[in-house]
Amino acid sequence: MDSPSKLENLRFVASLLGVIRHRMHEDGEDLLTYLIDIAYLEASDRLKQKSPPAEASGKVLPE
């Protein structure tokens, strides 16, 4: 499993990309919005792959 700092970095990057994507969308920057969205999706996918399953971490998923 990856060290917590790598997961924290991915969470941080995904969060920042989400904010930047929103701002670019509001400004009408369609190409930048698209490119940032691709980077956001990639970061999110990597987070899903590297994060432990919810039941292994003790978290309970809502039904």
Side-chain angles (χ1 to χ4, degrees), residues 8-19:
E8 288 171 10
N9 286 340
L10 277 173
R11 286 185 191 107
F12 177 70
V13 167
S15 176
L16 282 180
L17 287 169
V19 171

Side-chain angles (χ1 to χ4, degrees), residues 14-43:
S15 176
L16 282 180
L17 287 169
V19 171
I20 294 168
R21 184 206 174 280
H22 180 73
R23 288 186 180 183
M24 291 298 97
H25 179 71
E26 285 181 340
D27 287 346
E29 295 290 345
D30 294 335
L31 181 58
L32 282 174
T33 299
Y34 169 76
L35 293 171
I36 293 165
D37 198 34
I38 295 298
Y40 172 80
L41 291 172
E42 180 65 23

Side-chain angles (χ1 to χ4, degrees), residues 35-52:
L35 293 171
I36 293 165
D37 198 34
I38 295 298
Y40 172 80
L41 291 172
E42 180 65 23
S44 296
D45 285 348
R46 288 181 187 223
L47 259 175
K48 288 175 191 172
Q49 292 171 357
K50 293 179 184 290
S51 295

